[in-house]
Amino acid sequence: MKEVIHTPVPDIEEEEYHINMGPQHPSTHGVLRLVVSLQGEIVKSLKPHCGYIHRGIEKMCEKDTYPQIIHLTDRMDYLSAHINNHAVCLLVENALQVEVPERVKYIRTIIDELTRIQSHQLWWACYGMDLGGLTCFFYGLRDREHILDIFEESFGSRLLHSYYTPGGLMQDIHPNFQKRVKEFIKYFQKKIKDYDRILTGNVIMTERTRGIGILSKEDAINYAVTGPSGRASGFSCDVRKHYPYSVYDKVEFREVLFTEGDTLHRYYARMEEMRESMKIIEQLIDNIPEGEYSAKMKAVLKLPAGEYYQRVETARGELGAYCISDGNKTPFRLKFRSPNFSNLGVLDKISREHKIADLVAIGASLDFVIPDIDR
Amino acid sequence: MGVTGKYFFSPGQIVTEQYPENRKTLKMAERFKGEVIMPHDENNQHRCTGCGICELNCPNGSIEIISTRIETPEGKKVRIIDKHIYHLSMCTFCGLCIKTCPSDSLAWGQEFEHAVFDRSKLTKVLNQPGSSIIKGIE
Amino acid sequence: MAFSIYDFTSFNQAIDHALYASLPPVLAVIVEMTIIGLVFLVFYAVVGLFLVYAERKVCAFMQNRVGPNRVGPYGIFQTIADFIKLLMKELISIKNSDKLLFNLAPFIVIIASFMAIAAIPFGKGLQAIDFDIGILYVIAVSSLGVVGILLAGWSSNNKYSLIGAMRSGAQIISYELSVGLSLLTIIVLAGTMQFSQIVEGQANGWFIFKGHIPAFIAFILFLIASTAETNRGPFDLAEAESELTAGFHTEYSGIKFAFFFLAEYMNMFIVASIAATVFLGGWMPFHFSGWAGFNHVMDYIPPFVWYLGKTAFVIFLMMWFKWTFPRLRIDQLLNLEWKYLLPINLVNILVMAFIVLMGWHF
């Protein structure tokens, strides 16, 4: 990291000037710093500088036991906290070859999809806000509140749950859980039509984002852009379909694929994913089998020496957890392949020759969570 | 415009929580993770044996247990807690202490207004002064 | 005249005569100007503060919130509290900024909106100055404000501010045309540019009804263009907060920021009152030809109330726009103006001229 730009580098052209978007800027949703090189309003190039919220989570994992690691993964992508937990839990369970009760698998799948919906709701809210429609922000948060209330009732907290443990769950779901999830699905199917009316059907929004920030399928694969952003470019990368975990192999759902790969279709992909997630929940919510909420686990978990990899599909793409164990109760090394970091890499490529307003829209459509980039 | 207009003319939809005013009626979910507490019964007795498993399991070192060994009248040497210190400022609310406690002596409290002017107030002693362990808990 | 009970002309003339009788002419003019200035200053502050409050409440209700509700009943004193806060805030001086222009800019913005308000008729005879080219004057003066915005952006020594100011300049120069042309449509119909006569001309029906479809189109065009001219959403590119943090007033604090803020709301009030005056009959009550009883009842509502009601309606429309639509991009903004609004406007004027020529209007 030699060339950290603090002042404009000398070899730029006369007409270009730099602005620092971030670390404190309303549209970067966190402490991401983008050094944007502009010519008038046109973005010529862009350098993301990350590290403003680096907390050394991977290093901290090396001193923690496996159950303790779970609560650190919450803090990476805090909007898909459950799914991050899921990655580590699956990793430990597969390494120890523990058979998790069916009930746990069903509950985990439902909660993962709820997490995905609430994450996309917040994305929708912020997307509208970044495009200038502040009202969207409040509608998105209003509906997200319903999911957070369900979370609060069952897991005790709203954002950072630490609900999964290796082998199962912290505690059984709340008796009201099924009823409230069903109520929410009914409620949200009505409200998502409002979303369509206020933003999807809005001619200003569609015209502003159509054909902006086109990411080709080849580039999506080369840059490893996963999640809805990659699928909008036609890159079939849904871990839930290709490497199913929990009960994703038992449910019917469509992998949302578009070929255009522009900002508008990244928007469509996420809107469709919310509907698909609701379908998954509807299939599972009535069929949760009875049983234990956790498998019997040893008090101290020691993974056999070796390397393990587990991937899950978070709301933003593929999260990989790569673990080297030397047989102790703490991992020798734990590396997370976070989706946002890979997705950030493509921002420079697709936002060149677009306007500042487009850069904001593209950034919103890639849906960054900055703590996940830095970890 | 239709959507915003509809909500403008239907004030029943307002969802704002009137927080400081509804403090009296505000009811948190029963599993709400506010802080770690140690429930005491009416005889000022708790269930903590001072085994230190919570201290071991805590990822951030938020729990410190100061215990002493005493000799019971039957002649057995047992460990009782002197102080069960809980650093709320370091707690990340992961719940491992509560989950792993073999005698279920810890629980989640519902209190969530933790803002104080002095950091030392966030270091709490969970066992009440003069409390003792309930008989029969190993 | 039925509405003569609310005629302020004689009242004004009485004051005028009394002043001229007791004072030398120069002094009388000065005293009159001072009185009018003070009245407008108070009016300006009250309307500005109220509009900020109204905007916050309207957007809150549209977003299922309650809005300001802590200071006073229903939070009506919230904006006054905010204003006091802004008065007490430190005025930060920016390094390497052009001090003179930086300090001058808020005054230009606020003076421009102040001047425009003088020509607006609030009621019969209740008008500071009645130019015979009133509309032209208002258009000219209200577009002075962009000079202040450009200066603010230029002198703050901030790239975001500069981009905001440049956007604002491009935007106002473009949309000024549409504002002018849509008003011209009505001038063709009214045959005068004097505000008082335009209002008188609507005694038997508002121009928006009298002018058939062209007048209605002109009204819509005026609403769009004037929203853009006042830098309000969805055309708030100059201060697009998700792109440029706050655009041209990023570096301003305290009372200077308050000036920009107040001027924005006053500009909204001014364009809304122009729309109300030119299209919706100003202070003229709502009349149906032939319904004498109905018309008589309408006459008893004071013209000031009529005027404010119509203005409030237009302002509400503008707020409704703002809190529904996402923001446009700068090239779309200019496309919209030059490719759609301007041709429509030109055709509209021709149609209106044709209608007037053939005498098809009421």
Side-chain angles (χ1 to χ4, degrees), chain A residues 273-290:
Chain A
E273 276 208 355
M274 279 200 258
R275 295 198 167 87
E276 293 300 320
S277 291
M278 283 198 284
K279 268 185 217 159
I280 296 176
I281 297 172
E282 275 179 335
Q283 289 171 40
L284 296 176
I285 190 70
D286 285 326
N287 307 324
I288 302 177
E290 293 296 319

Side-chain angles (χ1 to χ4, degrees), chain A residues 290-302:
Chain A
E290 293 296 319
E292 290 290 308
Y293 66 84
S294 181
K296 282 268 175 288
M297 301 294 278
K298 287 195 205 111
V300 178
L301 301 176
K302 283 183 181 170

Side-chain angles (χ1 to χ4, degrees), chain B residues 84-117:
Chain B
H84 188 291
I85 300 170
Y86 168 51
H87 299 279
L88 179 59
S89 51
M90 288 200 268
C91 182
T92 50
F93 305 99
C94 64
L96 284 174
C97 50
I98 291 163
K99 181 170 186 282
T100 53
C101 181
S103 56
D104 292 334
S105 69
L106 297 174
W108 286 117
Q110 307 269 309
E111 184 58 44
F112 60 93
E113 288 167 331
H114 292 314
V116 286
F117 286 104

Side-chain angles (χ1 to χ4, degrees), chain C residues 170-282:
Chain C
Q171 181 181 335
I172 290 187
I173 287 169
S174 317
Y175 277 83
E176 198 65 24
L177 277 171
S178 274
V179 172
L181 285 175
S182 54
L183 288 178
L184 207 58
T185 317
I186 296 302
I187 293 170
V188 169
L189 180 62
T192 172
M193 287 172 100
Q194 197 170 2
F195 270 120
S196 56
Q197 289 188 13
I198 286 177
V199 177
E200 294 290 347
Q202 301 179 71
N204 54 350
W206 302 349
F207 280 150
I208 192 167
F209 302 125
K210 276 170 99 175
H212 298 295
I213 297 163
F216 189 70
I217 293 173
F219 179 63
I220 303 277
L221 292 175
F222 180 79
L223 268 187
I224 295 172
S226 61
T227 313
E229 209 201 323
T230 48
N231 279 334
R232 280 183 58 80
F235 308 100
D236 55 346
L237 283 101
E239 48 197 276
E241 84 280 340
S242 60
E243 297 151 28
L244 306 176
T245 56
F248 62 91
H249 57 62
T250 308
E251 300 287 356
Y252 284 88
S253 68
I255 191 68
K256 289 188 217 161
F257 169 72
F259 276 1
F260 279 118
F261 202 57
L262 215 56
E264 185 193 325
Y265 281 94
M266 282 319 289
N267 283 335
M268 183 167 79
F269 180 77
I270 288 163
V271 294
S273 49
I274 293 172
T277 308
V278 174
F279 294 97
L280 304 178

Side-chain angles (χ1 to χ4, degrees), chain A residues 8 17-22 24-27 38 40-41 128-136 138-139 142 191 198-199 202-210 212 355-358 360, chain C residues 58-65 158-160 162-164 166-168 233-237 240-246 319-332 336:
Chain A
Y17 61 101
H18 292 254
I19 58 170
N20 271 309
M21 239 181 185
Q24 294 131 351
H25 189 275
S27 76
L38 291 172
E41 282 229 3
M129 188 177 71
D130 282 344
L131 292 182
L134 205 61
T135 305
C136 307
F138 289 96
Y139 289 171
R142 175 195 69 196
K191 291 293 173 191
I198 197 166
L199 203 55
N202 190 313
V203 68
I204 297 177
M205 191 292 258
T206 48
E207 285 311 306
R208 245 190 89 168
T209 52
R210 191 188 302 270
I212 296 300
K355 301 211 164 40
I356 306 175
D358 296 331
V360 173
Chain C
V58 165
C59 86
F61 287 143
M62 280 179 182
Q63 296 164 348
N64 298 0
R65 297 184 288 125
N158 181 326
K159 288 163 191 164
Y160 287 120
L162 188 59
I163 297 172
M166 289 302 150
R167 282 181 178 186
S168 176
F235 308 100
D236 55 346
L237 283 101
E241 84 280 340
S242 60
E243 297 151 28
L244 306 176
T245 56
M319 287 178 179
W320 199 351
F321 287 153
K322 168 156 183 171
W323 295 108
T324 303
F325 292 122
R327 190 181 301 120
L328 276 84
R329 202 170 54 212
I330 182 77
D331 57 330
Q332 290 175 334
L336 177 70

